[in-house]
Amino acid sequence: MASHIVGYPRMGPKRELKFALESFWDGKSTAEDLQKVSADLRSSIWKQMSEAGTKYIPSNTFAHYDQVLDTTAMLGAVPPRYGYTSGEIGLDVYFSMARGNASVPAMEMTKWFDTNYHYIVPELGPDVNFSYASHKAVNEYKEAKALGVDTVPVLVGPVSYLLLSKAAKGVEKSFDLLSLLPKILPVYKEVITELKAAGATWIQLDEPVLVMDLEGHKLQAFTGAYAELESTLSGLNVLVETYFADIPAEAYKTLTSLKGVTAFGFDLVRGTKTLDLVKAGFPEGKYLFAGVVDGRNIWANDFAASLSTLQALEGVVGKDKLVVSTSCSLLHTAVDLVNETKLDDEIKSWLAFAAQKIVEVNALAKALAGQKDEALFSANAAALASRRSSPRVTNEGVQKAAAALKGSDHRRATNVSARLDAQQKKLNLPILPTTTIGSFPQTVELRRVRREYKAKKVSEEDYVKAMKEEIKKVVDLQEELDIDVLVHGEPERNDMVEYFGEQLSGFAFTANGWVQSYGSRCVKPPVIYGDVSRPKAMTVFWSAMAQSMTSRPMKGMLTGPVTILNWSFVRNDQPRHETCYQIALAIKDEVEDLEKGGINVIQIDEAALREGLPLRKSEHAFYLDWAVHSFRITNCGVQDTTQIHTHMCYSHFNDIIHSIIDMDADVITIENSRSDEKLLSVFREGVKYGAGIGPGVYDIHSPRIPSSEEIADRVNKMLAVLEQNILWVNPDCGLKTRKYTEVKPALKNMVDAAKLIRSQLASAK
């Protein structure tokens, strides 16, 4: 029986790696301490897969920060600003690239395809000197071997690596990244040769860009690259792994005729159309790694359905050439259901986390080999049946309300310029108004109070008192800094999605269902298992309390429906857009209650709108249509004088700018600073934008404190392309993860910069 896992979460079942990394970064532990935690995690993962009977166990999918950054280190492609010259790349250079250091900024981070994971984007150009500079892949293979586990080393494939890179600063934007193939392939050859010498018999090259819309010359690059690697790969079994979507027919043709490749891996969960391609023709004698267990969700596999898919494929590729696999790396799912003590048994029976998915893959492989575990299969069928018929899943009232949405497109009654005039009369803001995105630092003390309240060790009265004191502190600080539109700092919130999900019906929460977002940062997505509704107001109490402490406008702070959807594990028994409309109706109730409660500025964050964009262009229009519609549903009922803000992360926006305008928010704030004003180019190119806009003026993901000159310089760049009467001045994102010692000076410099430019504009008049 043949089973395979594409990759595995690195953080550990209780986020061991996160705590080890942060301790190391804070100087509280040594590199040896960090390496020991890492080695223990790796060995337990390999052991777990091996004991479950997994035949093809991956190595080198562990990373201290990110697998693409590991590849950058392997290739010695360190940007010059980090001062690296030669030799094995150590943790200092590695973490400087990931996080920046006192003197130079970090490399850009962006989303890994359409997941909520972020990778560090390689910065390349014609002058990069590639050299074999990190032996991690070989070291980890040997480490597993010493533990008695023969693994399949995993590398990010050379073509995907280049296509996921960007031209470094100062390099022509039109630079052809693929022209670097002849320079990186020699390093790949060295790595592969060393892996062979160390005893590897299989190697996995991840080439996920094959699921994207690729032009002909990009597909030819695959053909050329693998032809070049063919002699080095000979004697190895080579798996080229793809994931996250259907593979287009042209790319399938290219992939299945690559030289030197013995096996092909496909995501058959999000790529059901790939099945038709395989059935229409699969190269004789090659292996098919069939990704039937979902690596991106937490639902238990439907064994009966998977088995029938696998049996059909067996007829095409042959019994001994079919391998049961996960749809992608399990990096994107939670680690182990065993650590969920609070979930009730019924919901738990519907779920499978990474550790359970290893068992599922092996159970399917055994069943395929004629050793079906009948007890396991009937328990699986019973759990699926209970989910289908559970009254907890269906709420008729919600179904009706969502069905009734069909007739309207839910637009506000007047256009944005008329609304902005009405709002300005009411709010009376200066030109270039300053604000922040929502959260303020969460101190150890604050987290402690919240934790103890949750554990019922602190009374509600004491909890509210502590939160009120914190809100007062944040309001006073903002007034002292002379910020124009205030926030309450969100001290009562653990997470921008979880906080709402806990107050909505149809959501369940895990204790340890953490998933890596980037570096040591993990998120704990809620599980949407049923119809969604809002039993009672969620935020009005806190926002009204905060507004009563100041005469300045206080922003109500909500998370938008699309972001709640995209940052949750979503039910897979109805289309995603139906779930999204249900959430939109719940948020609409909240928006209207905030307005009634005297809140005149309401921010509805759609940080993740862009994240849900399908990988293939042909599917964009449908997604954007329902996503933008969901946003409009939330605020179509408010008065003209109520100012609706939205916030978005990651400004690869140029392709969806018309959808953003169609959201019809009054003000949009956008994370911008890490991507060097790419965002502004869209306005330079003449897109007319009449609503308020606040491109972030400094990067909150880094501890660095920008000077007021630097911020003023940024604002002036923005004024070159945006009207002064619509520009807002704000940081990139919420400040939750920063320390007050960083936040205070940074915000002071931000306000100073805004005031400086206001006075310059006034005197220019």
Side-chain angles (χ1 to χ4, degrees):
M1 58 159 259
S3 51
H4 166 247
I5 306 293
V6 177
Y8 201 77
R10 315 147 177 160
M11 280 296 137
K14 300 268 174 83
R15 290 185 294 165
E16 293 83 349
L17 181 60
K18 170 192 175 72
F19 299 119
L21 282 167
E22 289 171 2
S23 165
F24 173 67
W25 294 336
D26 288 345
K28 291 176 188 156
S29 58
T30 63
E32 289 70 42
D33 298 330
L34 174 59
Q35 298 292 11
K36 174 159 189 353
V37 170
S38 307
D40 289 348
L41 283 170
R42 287 193 293 267
S43 77
S44 74
I45 292 165
W46 290 326
K47 239 205 317 275
Q48 192 183 343
M49 292 191 195
S50 164
E51 284 166 5
T54 315
K55 182 170 180 182
Y56 302 107
I57 296 173
S59 59
N60 200 41
T61 60
F62 180 89
H64 278 127
Y65 207 93
D66 163 53
Q67 70 273 14
V68 181
L69 184 61
D70 285 357
T71 314
T72 296
M74 177 184 92
L75 295 168
V78 182
R81 64 180 177 279
Y82 301 106
Y84 164 79
T85 46
S86 63
E88 187 77 5
I89 288 172
L91 289 178
D92 50 346
V93 172
Y94 180 86
F95 287 133
S96 291
M97 291 193 282
R99 307 177 67 233
N101 58 38
S103 51
V104 291
M107 292 168 73
E108 185 186 346
M109 182 167 72
T110 198
K111 272 166 42 64
W112 178 242
F113 295 84
D114 61 346
T115 71
N116 297 328
Y117 175 80
H118 302 83
Y119 73 96
I120 301 290
V121 184
E123 299 172 14
L124 304 177
D127 306 330
V128 179
N129 286 315
F130 295 98
S131 65
Y132 185 13
S134 164
H135 290 63
K136 177 177 171 290
V138 177
N139 295 341
E140 282 189 20
Y141 174 79
K142 289 177 175 168
E143 184 184 322
K145 204 168 181 185
L147 295 166
V149 183
D150 188 24
T151 59
V152 178
V154 179
L155 303 174
V156 176
V159 185
S160 290
Y161 176 78
L162 291 176
L163 292 176
L164 291 163
S165 303
K166 67 171 190 176
K169 221 178 180 152
V171 173
E172 278 300 312
K173 285 278 175 274
S174 58
F175 174 71
D176 178 17
L177 292 157
L178 291 173
S179 67
L180 297 172
L181 266 173
K183 294 187 175 177
I184 69 169
L185 290 175
V187 180
Y188 274 89
K189 288 180 184 174
E190 283 184 74
V191 179
I192 294 162
T193 304
E194 264 193 31
L195 285 168
K196 275 205 297 204
T201 55
W202 276 83
I203 181 173
Q204 173 180 326
L205 291 157
D206 283 7
E207 293 281 14
V209 300
L210 280 165
V211 305
M212 305 293 280
D213 299 306
L214 296 179
E215 303 94 338
H217 75 277
K218 290 179 180 168
L219 290 175
Q220 282 157 13
F222 281 95
T223 307
Y226 283 81
E228 177 63 30
L229 291 172
E230 185 181 15
S231 57
T232 313
L233 290 169
S234 74
L236 274 176
N237 279 301
V238 181
L239 163 65
V240 173
E241 184 64 59
T242 67
Y243 33 77
F244 300 148
D246 286 306
I247 184 161
E250 260 325 283
Y252 179 80
K253 220 159 50 196
T254 302
L255 170 61
T256 49
S257 42
L258 290 180
K259 295 227 182 342
V261 178
T262 33
F264 309 100
F266 300 109
D267 179 336
L268 300 179
V269 176
R270 287 185 176 229
T272 44
K273 294 187 195 129
T274 304
L275 281 170
D276 301 333
L277 294 173
V278 172
K279 288 171 186 168
F282 188 78
E284 184 112 24
K286 304 278 182 171
Y287 291 84
L288 172 67
F289 281 60
V292 291
V293 171
D294 192 350
R296 288 180 62 171
N297 220 325
I298 40 61
W299 303 109
N301 188 268
D302 181 339
F303 280 176
S306 296
L307 198 55
S308 78
T309 299
L310 291 164
Q311 283 162 340
L313 289 169
E314 217 173 40
V316 179
V317 304
K319 216 173 179 53
D320 57 334
K321 290 290 187 273
L322 183 63
V323 179
V324 182
S325 183
T326 55
S327 66
C328 61
S329 171
L330 299 177
L331 178 69
H332 309 289
T333 189
V335 181
D336 196 342
L337 201 49
V338 161
N339 300 314
E340 298 306 325
T341 45
K342 292 204 176 70
L343 276 178
D344 65 81
D345 289 345
E346 183 181 33
I347 288 184
K348 220 168 156 172
S349 75
W350 303 340
L351 305 180
F353 291 2
Q356 288 66 46
K357 289 175 189 287
I358 293 176
V359 174
E360 290 184 333
V361 165
N362 284 291
L364 286 164
K366 281 188 184 125
L368 207 54
Q371 304 152 18
K372 187 169 170 190
D373 182 333
E374 293 297 346
L376 199 61
F377 268 67
S378 57
N380 174 265
L384 290 169
S386 99
R387 191 177 151 205
R388 274 193 291 270
S389 60
S390 171
R392 301 167 70 173
V393 171
T394 314
N395 174 335
E396 293 224 345
V398 174
Q399 296 272 351
K400 278 205 181 87
L405 292 170
K406 302 248 187 317
S408 159
D409 60 358
H410 302 90
R411 290 182 189 277
R412 286 172 78 180
T414 29
N415 71 20
V416 70
S417 54
R419 297 196 311 258
L420 287 172
D421 288 345
Q423 291 154 14
Q424 180 55 14
K425 284 195 183 86
K426 188 163 190 172
L427 300 172
N428 199 15
L429 297 170
I431 195 162
L432 305 182
T434 53
T435 189
T436 62
I437 302 305
S439 58
F440 265 65
Q442 301 218 336
T443 58
V444 174
E445 175 59 16
L446 181 63
R447 289 172 197 266
R448 184 188 62 78
V449 174
R450 225 175 33 220
R451 207 167 41 240
E452 291 186 351
Y453 173 60
K454 223 174 178 175
K456 303 197 166 40
K457 291 179 186 162
V458 169
S459 72
E460 179 160 14
E461 196 182 336
D462 287 346
Y463 169 73
V464 169
K465 187 165 162 269
M467 294 300 121
K468 189 173 183 174
E469 281 167 13
E470 184 66 25
I471 291 171
K472 180 84 177 106
K473 202 173 82 185
V474 169
V475 170
D476 289 349
L477 171 63
Q478 293 171 94
E479 292 202 319
E480 179 194 321
L481 289 164
D482 205 13
I483 291 173
D484 300 306
V485 174
L486 309 193
V487 298
H488 76 290
E490 305 176 22
E492 79 288 7
R493 305 188 189 181
N494 43 2
D495 171 273
M496 63 184 282
V497 171
E498 185 168 318
Y499 177 75
F500 291 96
E502 283 174 339
Q503 303 183 71
L504 294 167
S505 56
F507 281 75
F509 290 85
T510 63
N512 288 289
W514 296 98
V515 181
Q516 185 180 12
S517 169
Y518 64 88
S520 68
R521 180 92 199 263
C522 301
V523 292
K524 191 153 61 71
V527 176
I528 304 180
Y529 66 85
D531 288 337
V532 177
S533 61
R534 185 200 73 145
K536 57 180 202 297
M538 304 182 282
T539 66
V540 179
F541 174 77
W542 301 109
S543 289
M545 173 198 289
Q547 182 65 82
S548 73
M549 296 174 182
T550 178
S551 57
R552 299 180 185 220
M554 173 62 62
K555 272 198 282 197
M557 199 55 63
L558 305 174
T559 303
V562 186
T563 298
I564 291 177
L565 183 88
N566 284 338
W567 286 355
S568 297
F569 287 124
V570 181
R571 55 192 289 191
N572 56 358
D573 58 351
Q574 71 178 17
R576 284 175 77 88
H577 65 269
E578 287 182 20
T579 304
C580 198
Y581 285 149
Q582 294 180 359
I583 304 169
L585 287 169
I587 299 296
K588 178 179 196 282
D589 291 345
E590 186 69 14
V591 168
E592 289 166 14
D593 281 350
L594 278 169
E595 186 182 53
K596 283 189 200 111
I599 302 298
N600 296 315
V601 181
I602 300 169
Q603 180 171 311
I604 306 164
D605 279 349
E606 281 296 12
L609 184 98
R610 182 78 176 68
E611 300 201 358
L613 201 61
L615 294 174
R616 304 280 276 289
K617 292 217 171 59
S618 58
E619 293 161 30
H620 284 193
F622 177 64
Y623 166 77
L624 288 167
D625 184 57
W626 63 254
V628 168
H629 189 180
S630 298
F631 178 81
R632 286 200 310 263
I633 287 167
T634 64
N635 62 81
C636 63
V638 301
Q639 299 165 20
D640 283 359
T641 49
T642 298
Q643 190 166 75
I644 299 293
H645 285 227
T646 188
H647 173 68
M648 297 188 149
C649 292
Y650 294 97
S651 47
H652 293 289
F653 275 145
N654 302 11
D655 50 347
I656 63 162
I657 190 70
H658 294 290
S659 297
I660 291 172
I661 293 170
D662 201 37
M663 288 167 76
D664 198 27
D666 296 309
V667 178
I668 177 169
T669 52
I670 294 189
E671 179 183 1
N672 173 58
S673 67
R674 257 199 185 196
S675 44
D676 287 324
E677 331 293 323
K678 258 197 298 230
L679 165 75
L680 294 180
S681 63
V682 79
F683 299 110
R684 259 181 231 118
E685 286 151 20
V687 169
K688 285 281 167 274
Y689 189 73
I693 184 166
V697 294
Y698 81 91
D699 178 14
I700 63 93
H701 294 102
S702 159
R704 206 175 141 266
I705 296 159
S707 66
S708 55
E709 293 77 19
E710 186 183 322
I711 295 176
D713 181 51
R714 277 221 140 99
V715 175
N716 277 321
K717 275 196 190 131
M718 294 169 190
L719 284 170
V721 288
L722 292 164
E723 296 293 324
Q724 60 190 49
N725 61 338
I726 63 168
L727 188 64
W728 285 63
V729 176
N730 46 265
D732 250 1
C733 261
L735 305 168
K736 180 166 89 170
T737 57
R738 299 265 61 91
K739 298 179 171 74
Y740 270 106
T741 49
E742 299 155 356
V743 165
K744 280 182 188 166
L747 289 179
K748 182 185 182 304
N749 293 348
M750 181 186 88
V751 174
D752 287 349
K755 287 180 171 172
L756 173 73
I757 294 180
R758 277 176 207 157
S759 65
Q760 288 169 350
L761 290 171
S763 59
K765 269 188 187 154

